[in-house]
């Protein structure tokens, strides 16, 4: 998810924006509809007045229909149709009114006028895009159709809503289009980080992403230049060192005593070993392409490492399934295992190392005291516990560097008097 944080943020903003706009337009639609209904309901109070006059003056049905027709109101006379409309229609608004009638009464005291309050309920109904007004009184009811009135429509609001949604969507599409170069740039940076030193970041354009890409291209060229200069320097140094070391080794044989010959042979041998370690370091750090990695059986690599270490095979116990394979640079992986064998034999109490597979991880076990420092201390170059040992302190540093090239790490644990180094 972190890899697509910007894209997710943009999509989240789009979702929130669309939801907010939709919510606002929905509330606006409901408000407009309610205002429309209220306006129509108020405007059509004339129906109530006509019906009141009809009841008070007790005019004929024909007179009532004539008065309603002036305003394009029609009474629904069919009782079955009226029942069907009342059953199916949607009630838009309803209001209770009171009608006051005056009646002439006679009692012992004489003639007097009495006011009678009657309840009247008027309902505004909608069915099949037709508006009806239903009036219920104490002595009857009437259903009136408004032929000149149309129900509330949402087309103008829907048009505005769709227009705004379209504008927002187009805007976000344009934003995503502008983010495409950033996605391509991220992929190129990942390839560069994985060792593709010839990837090009150069791009045309003048926006911020193009400026960053071109700056990365300039940085890439500088890094490549520095790496090439470093590689050339190391190779020249090693080439120049090999010649005097070879001459010194030959000259050593001309010394007078065996003790002097052995001492100088040891010195030149260590120098030659140091040059070889430097060559390995240069090879490991300069690997940018893993296409030359091949699949090998692990037992074959271990056999090659034992031969390279030139130790008695009785000093090494191998408990690895012959079917286990891995993809690796044979020379480098063999060197890493060889260094672990050398360390195991050199620092163990019984000059023995056991190579086993545990949980799909290659382990090197040897008896002895636990290492005095954390593992990180030993994988730094030129560090070692015992300066008197015949070593430059590059063994575990080389192992760690080789494992990193193979997407692995070096780990250590101590259990029951056994140091266990793990290719995890």
């Amino acid at each position: 998810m972190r890899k697509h944080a910007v894209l997710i943020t943009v999509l989240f903003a789009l979702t929130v924006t669309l939801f907010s706009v939709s919510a606002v337009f929905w509330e606006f639609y409901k408000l407009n509809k309610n205002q429309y209904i209220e306006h129509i309901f108020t405007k059509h109070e004339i129906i109530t007045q006509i019906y009141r006059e009809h009841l008070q003056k007790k005019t004929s049905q024909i007179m009532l229909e004539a008065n309603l027709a002036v305003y394009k109101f029609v009474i629904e006379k069919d009782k079955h149709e009226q029942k069907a409309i009342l059953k199916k229609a949607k009630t838009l608004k309803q209001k209770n009114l009171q009608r006051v009638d005056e009646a002439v009464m006679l009692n012992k005291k004489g003639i007097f006028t009495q006011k009678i309050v009657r309840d009247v309920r008027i309902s505004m109904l909608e069915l099949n895009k037709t508006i009806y007004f239903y009036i219920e009184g104490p002595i009857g009811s009437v259903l009136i159709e408004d032929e000149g009135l149309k129900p509330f429509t949402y087309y103008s609001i829907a048009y505005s809503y769709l227009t705004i949604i379209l504008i927002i969507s187009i805007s976000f599409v344009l934003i995503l289009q502008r983010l495409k170069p950033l996605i391509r740039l991220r992929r190129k940076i990942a390839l560069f980080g994985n060792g593709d030193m010839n990837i090009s970041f150069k791009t045309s354009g003048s926006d911020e992403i193009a400026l960053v890409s071109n700056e990365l291209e300039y940085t890439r060229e500088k890094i490549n230049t520095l790496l090439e200069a470093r590689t050339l320097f190391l190779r020249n140094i090693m080439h120049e060192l090999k010649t005097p070391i070879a001459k010194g080794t030959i000259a050593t044989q001309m010394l007078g005593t065996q003790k002097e010959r052995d001492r100088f042979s040891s010195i030149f041998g260590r120098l030659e070993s140091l040059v070889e370690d430097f060559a390995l370091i240069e090879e490991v750090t300069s690997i940018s392409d893993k296409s030359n990695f091949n699949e090998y059986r692990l037992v074959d690599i271990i056999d090659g490492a034992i031969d390279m270490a030139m130790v008695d095979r009785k000093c090494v116990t191998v408990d690895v399934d012959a079917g286990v394979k891995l993809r690796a640079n044979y020379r480098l992986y063999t060197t890493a295992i060889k260094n672990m064998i050398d360390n195991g034999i050199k620092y163990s109490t019984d000059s023995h190392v056991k190579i086993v597979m545990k949980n799909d991880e290659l382990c090197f076990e040897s008896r002895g005291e636990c290492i005095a420092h954390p593992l990180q201390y030993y994988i730094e170059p030129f560090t070692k516990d015992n300066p008197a040992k015949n070593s430059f302190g590059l063994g575990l540093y080389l192992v760690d560097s080789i494992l990193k090239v193979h997407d692995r790490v070096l780990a250590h644990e101590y259990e029951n008097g056994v140091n266990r180094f793990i290719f995890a």
Side-chain angles (χ1 to χ4, degrees):
M1 184 176 290
R2 292 181 179 178
K3 292 181 180 180
H4 306 285
V6 175
L7 179 60
I8 292 173
T9 302
V10 172
L11 293 177
F12 176 76
L14 173 61
T15 303
V16 171
T17 302
L18 293 178
F19 178 79
S20 302
V21 170
S22 300
V24 169
F25 266 89
W26 176 248
E27 293 298 325
F28 183 68
Y29 163 75
K30 292 193 296 183
L31 178 62
N32 272 262
K33 185 175 182 179
N34 291 335
Q35 288 179 344
Y36 177 83
I37 294 172
E38 187 68 30
H39 173 72
I40 297 301
F41 195 85
T42 303
K43 181 180 178 181
H44 285 71
E45 286 184 352
I46 186 66
I47 298 174
T48 309
Q49 295 176 5
I50 294 173
Y51 189 67
R52 278 181 176 178
E53 290 180 2
H54 167 68
L55 294 176
Q56 289 175 354
K57 297 179 180 180
K58 298 181 179 180
T59 59
S60 64
Q61 184 73 12
I62 296 175
M63 183 61 70
L64 174 61
E65 293 178 7
N67 289 333
L68 291 173
V70 174
Y71 300 96
K72 295 184 178 181
F73 298 143
V74 178
I75 296 177
E76 181 60 55
K77 298 178 182 179
D78 189 335
K79 296 298 181 180
H80 295 289
E81 184 69 20
Q82 181 176 337
K83 287 182 180 180
I85 293 173
L86 293 176
K87 184 178 180 180
K88 298 179 181 178
K90 177 182 178 183
T91 302
L92 300 179
K93 187 173 177 64
Q94 197 171 69
K95 188 176 182 180
N96 292 323
L97 302 173
Q98 287 184 335
R99 179 170 63 86
V100 181
D101 294 335
E102 291 184 354
V104 178
M105 306 295 291
L106 178 64
N107 59 14
K108 294 180 179 180
K109 295 181 179 181
I111 299 173
F112 66 95
T113 301
Q114 183 178 2
K115 292 184 178 181
I116 302 173
V117 179
R118 303 181 188 275
D119 291 330
V120 177
R121 184 168 65 180
I122 181 170
S123 303
M124 183 178 176
L125 310 175
E126 178 186 347
L127 179 65
N128 298 329
K129 297 184 179 180
T130 303
I131 299 297
Y132 298 90
F133 290 89
Y134 181 56
I135 302 175
E136 299 173 87
I139 59 173
S141 62
V142 63
L143 182 64
I144 301 171
E145 177 185 346
D146 187 345
E147 292 182 330
L149 183 65
K150 298 299 179 183
F152 174 78
T153 58
Y154 56 86
Y155 299 118
S156 59
I157 295 177
Y159 175 76
S160 302
Y161 170 73
L162 292 176
T163 301
I164 293 177
I165 292 297
L166 182 61
I167 292 172
I168 293 174
S169 301
I170 292 174
S171 300
F172 275 93
V173 168
L174 292 176
I175 291 173
L176 293 176
Q177 288 290 335
R178 302 301 293 176
L179 285 176
K180 275 189 176 180
L182 186 61
I183 296 173
R184 289 196 294 267
L185 179 61
R186 181 186 65 81
R187 291 172 180 169
K188 288 182 178 181
I189 292 174
L191 291 174
F192 183 74
N194 289 331
D196 188 355
M197 308 303 290
N198 296 318
I199 192 76
S200 177
F201 298 106
K202 192 173 183 180
T203 183
S204 58
S206 57
D207 59 2
E208 291 82 354
I209 298 177
L211 291 175
V212 171
S213 298
N214 291 329
E215 285 296 325
L216 282 172
E217 175 64 14
Y218 173 69
T219 303
R220 182 194 68 83
E221 291 176 351
K222 288 185 65 175
I223 290 174
N224 282 351
T225 301
L226 290 173
L227 288 176
E228 289 173 2
R230 170 185 170 278
T231 301
L232 182 62
F233 172 77
L234 286 175
R235 288 177 178 175
N236 286 338
I237 286 293
M238 287 185 292
H239 177 73
E240 294 298 327
L241 284 174
K242 284 182 178 180
T243 301
I245 289 173
K247 290 181 178 179
T249 302
I250 295 173
T252 296
Q253 304 305 318
M254 302 177 185
L255 294 175
T257 64
Q258 185 63 38
K259 184 177 180 180
E260 290 177 340
R261 287 195 294 270
D262 292 341
R263 179 183 298 174
F264 280 96
S265 294
S266 175
I267 292 172
F268 285 114
R270 293 190 66 192
L271 287 176
E272 187 174 3
S273 176
L274 181 60
V275 171
E276 289 177 356
D277 286 346
F278 281 155
L280 277 173
I281 293 172
E282 188 275 331
E283 182 179 350
V284 171
T285 55
S286 63
I287 286 181
S288 59
D289 185 10
K290 297 181 181 180
S291 61
N292 62 340
F293 283 29
N294 296 307
E295 192 174 78
Y296 302 95
R297 292 197 312 163
L298 184 56
V299 290
D300 293 336
I301 296 179
I302 294 173
D303 285 341
I306 295 173
D307 293 338
M308 185 185 294
M310 293 185 294
V311 296
D312 191 342
R313 285 190 172 266
K314 294 180 181 180
C315 297
V316 182
T317 300
V318 180
D319 185 10
V320 176
D321 189 346
V324 178
K325 296 181 180 181
L326 76 158
R327 188 174 181 80
N329 179 304
Y330 182 85
R331 179 170 175 270
L332 293 180
Y333 216 84
T334 301
T335 302
I337 295 177
K338 172 254 183 187
N339 284 354
M340 296 308 303
I341 293 172
D342 284 341
N343 274 8
I345 293 175
K346 187 183 299 182
Y347 294 99
S348 66
T349 55
D350 56 2
S351 299
H352 185 272
V353 61
K354 183 179 181 181
I355 305 176
V356 297
M357 287 292 294
K358 290 187 177 181
N359 300 323
D360 296 327
E361 296 174 338
L362 189 63
C363 302
F364 300 84
E365 299 178 350
S366 57
R367 293 197 167 275
E369 296 182 359
C370 182
I371 56 178
H373 304 283
L375 181 62
Q376 186 63 35
Y377 171 82
Y378 297 96
I379 60 178
E380 295 295 328
F382 303 106
T383 55
K384 51 185 178 177
D385 267 345
N386 188 354
K389 294 282 185 180
N390 188 22
S391 168
F392 293 102
L394 292 173
L396 291 184
Y397 169 73
L398 269 172
V399 172
D400 182 66
S401 299
I402 292 170
L403 289 180
K404 285 179 180 177
V405 171
H406 291 81
D407 300 321
R408 294 179 176 272
V409 294
L410 181 64
H412 171 266
E413 59 184 23
Y414 187 77
E415 183 180 8
N416 298 328
V418 175
N419 282 296
R420 183 179 296 113
F421 289 89
I422 306 168
F423 286 8

